[in-house]
């Protein structure tokens, strides 16, 4: 199946509901009426329940439990809420995908998003936007597993055997899941720099809008892949000292402490969102 054939079937994928579009629009307005926003969120039981779970997660949580949507709106602010709305919808939109372990998929995705957010704080770019980028970076995989499950399984098998992921995707699909994900994000009307980050996170130097954001997600993916194999403090320090991305982002070797501290937060969020 080719890129055009996959894109021609995009109508078979979940569409962004009107309520989510309206909420994102409200959250983009700095003069947003918080009471109206809370009321709008509360109208959707699935989204409001997941927003509350995220509000009380280790990543977004505060010192006191948030018990209502109105309190979440007041205490958390617009930027984190925008991230939560997108995440809440996306995890609801793909509850099951044939041949894909959704528990593992979301666990990996949330871990990468948490790492990307932590790196973003250090390099002084919007941490909430980078969390969203981490959540969306692999939506192309969901697209292929949904629309072309046989090819998706073949790609997974060959990558497991050691072949290059992008090379196999180009051979079987004529494109990459990163490119497909960016096309889907564009159709969903996500911002241009988020679309760019999704498309080029595997090749940050080719990014057209803000290569730094693509590099953050790229490094977050690699950290998630490698971290649990680094058993000692010395190994973790050496990883940051020697890694090209670490140097490009000017991350100190001591940043391993921040990664250790957030390790596992993504997995816990994934469990909460699956409820």
């Amino acid at each position: 199946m080719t890129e055009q054939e996959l894109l021609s079937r995009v109508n078979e994928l979940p569409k962004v509901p009107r309520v989510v579009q309206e909420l994102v629009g409200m959250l983009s307005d700095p003069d947003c009426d918080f009471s109206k926003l809370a009321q709008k969120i509360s109208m959707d039981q699935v989204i409001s329940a997941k927003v509350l779970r995220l509000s009380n997660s280790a990543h977004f949580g505060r010192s006191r439990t948030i018990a209502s949507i109105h309190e979440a709106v007041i205490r958390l602010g617009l930027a984190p809420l925008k991230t939560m709305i997108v995440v809440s919808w996306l995890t609801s939109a793909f509850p099951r995908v044939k041949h894909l372990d959704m528990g593992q998929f979301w666990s990996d995705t949330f871990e990468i998003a948490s790492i990307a957010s932590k790196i973003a704080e250090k390099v002084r770019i919007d941490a909430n936007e980078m969390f969203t980028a981490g959540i969306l970076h692999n939506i192309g995989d969901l697209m292929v597993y949904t629309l072309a499950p046989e090819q998706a399984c073949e790609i997974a098998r060959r990558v497991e055997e050691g072949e290059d992921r992008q090379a196999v995707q180009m051979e079987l699909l004529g494109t990459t899941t990163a490119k497909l994900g960016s096309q889907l994000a564009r159709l969903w009307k996500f911002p241009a720099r988020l679309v760019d980050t999704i498309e080029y996170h595997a090749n940050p130097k080719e990014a057209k809008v803000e290569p730094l954001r693509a590099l953050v997600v790229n490094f977050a993916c690699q950290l998630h892949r490698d971290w649990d194999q680094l058993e000692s403090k010395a190994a973790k320090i050496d990883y940051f000292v020697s890694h090209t991305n670490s140097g490009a982002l000017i991350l100190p070797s001591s940043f391993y402490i921040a990664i250790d501290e957030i390790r596992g937060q993504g997995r816990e969020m994934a469990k909460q969102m699956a409820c």
Side-chain angles (χ1 to χ4, degrees), residues 9 98-99 143-155:
R9 296 176 59 196
K98 191 176 181 180
H99 302 306
M143 184 177 181
V144 175
Y145 268 99
T146 300
L147 300 179
E150 291 184 2
Q151 287 95 327
C153 290
E154 176 69 5
I155 291 167

Side-chain angles (χ1 to χ4, degrees), residues 38-73:
Q39 183 180 24
K40 191 75 171 179
I41 294 173
S42 298
M43 289 172 64
D44 189 299
Q45 293 183 340
V46 173
I47 288 178
S48 58
K50 291 194 173 188
V51 165
L52 279 178
R53 290 186 202 126
L54 278 175
S55 299
N56 290 301
S57 68
H59 183 85
F60 291 101
R62 299 296 186 267
S63 58
R64 182 167 60 85
T65 300
I66 293 174
S68 70
I69 292 297
H70 188 270
E71 185 180 4
V73 170

Side-chain angles (χ1 to χ4, degrees), residues 158-199:
R158 289 173 59 175
V159 170
E160 182 69 22
E161 293 175 354
E163 293 188 55
D164 179 74
R165 181 182 299 275
Q166 288 187 299
V168 175
Q169 290 174 353
M170 288 298 300
E171 177 187 334
L172 297 181
L173 303 173
T175 187
T176 65
T177 52
K179 179 68 178 296
L180 289 169
S182 71
Q183 298 280 37
L184 187 56
R186 187 175 289 109
L187 289 170
W188 281 342
K189 301 187 186 306
F190 284 116
R193 64 185 180 188
L194 182 53
V195 171
D196 185 74
T197 299
I198 293 168
E199 181 169 354

